[in-house]
Structures are given as C-alpha cells and as structure tokens.
C-alpha cells in the first residue's frame, strides 16, 4: 500500500508531498516525536488532493482532529496554500508567455 499512495498524486503534487514530509521530519525531530504523530502520509495525500487551503478544510481529512489542526494545521495549511498559489502564478506566467509567442508568430 505504501507504493500506491503517491500514485494518487500528479507530479507537482508529489513535490508538495515531499516538502510536507521534509517539514514533518524536522518538526518531529524538534519535538522528539515519531513523524506519524504529526501527520501520516495518507493524511498529507488527502490534504493535497482536497487542496486544503483553510484550517476548516482539514475537518475533511480523516484522522485530522481539532488538536492536530490547532498544533500543526496552520503550518501545513501555509505550505499547501503557498504551493498552490505559486503553481497558479507559474501557470499564469506560462500562459502569458504562450500568448506573446502567438502574437510574435501568428502562423
């Protein structure tokens, strides 16, 4: 099952998944906790697929209760939200570049 979970994500989402795992590893080390107590891989994947952009949206992530949201939700949310905002900005810039190329080469 471990190998199947990341397949639920596209390539850009896999990058976000890796960033979340790196943050979790650092946070767990600082707190002296096993990483899964902060959030499991499955919870990260579900949050990514749901594109959780608010703390309220974490109520839809299985096993992500009030305590976990209060303790870690804000930072996880910042990472997810920031990732999708950066991705949207990149897509917008690419579209602008594509449009300008069409104007320069209309054929």
């Amino acid at each position: 099952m471990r190998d199947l979970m990341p397949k639920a994500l596209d390539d850009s989402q896999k990058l976000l998944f890796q960033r979340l795992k790196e943050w979790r590893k650092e946070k767990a080390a600082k707190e002296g906790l096993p990483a899964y107590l902060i959030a499991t891989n499955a919870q990260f994947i579900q949050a990514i697929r749901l594109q959780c952009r608010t703390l309220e949206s974490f109520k839809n992530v299985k096993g992500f209760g009030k305590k976990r949201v209060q303790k870690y939700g804000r930072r996880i949310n910042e990472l997810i939200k920031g990732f999708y905002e950066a991705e949207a900005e990149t897509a917008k810039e690419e579209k602008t570049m594509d449009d300008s190329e069409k104007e320069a080469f209309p054929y």
Side-chain angles (χ1 to χ4, degrees):
M1 180 158 175
R2 175 174 263 201
D3 291 348
L4 297 177
M5 288 193 307
K7 291 181 182 176
L9 304 175
D10 65 29
D11 288 341
S12 66
Q13 290 172 326
K14 287 178 184 178
L15 176 61
L16 174 56
F17 179 66
Q18 288 304 319
R19 288 181 186 169
L20 288 168
K21 284 175 46 175
E22 288 168 14
W23 167 82
R24 179 184 62 188
K25 182 179 177 181
E26 290 172 16
K27 187 70 170 170
K30 285 180 186 175
E31 294 189 9
L33 295 171
Y36 70 87
L37 290 180
I38 292 173
T40 65
N41 288 349
Q43 289 166 332
F44 280 157
I45 290 169
Q46 191 174 11
I48 292 167
R49 293 190 73 205
L50 294 172
Q51 296 186 13
C52 291
R53 295 176 194 222
T54 65
L55 294 179
E56 180 70 17
S57 63
F58 282 98
K59 72 179 182 182
N60 298 314
V61 177
K62 185 179 179 181
F64 224 88
K66 274 188 174 182
K67 272 187 164 180
R68 194 170 275 165
V69 170
Q70 288 172 346
K71 195 163 186 179
Y72 307 113
R74 187 172 313 283
R75 184 62 184 137
I76 294 169
N77 181 256
E78 288 171 357
L79 290 166
I80 293 172
K81 189 176 177 181
F83 177 83
Y84 283 114
E85 286 172 356
E87 190 175 65
E89 187 61 32
T90 299
K92 184 179 172 184
E93 289 171 4
E94 287 175 357
K95 181 174 179 356
T96 302
M97 288 173 57
D98 287 346
D99 290 346
S100 65
E101 286 176 3
K102 288 177 186 173
E103 289 172 11
F105 302 102
Y107 42 87

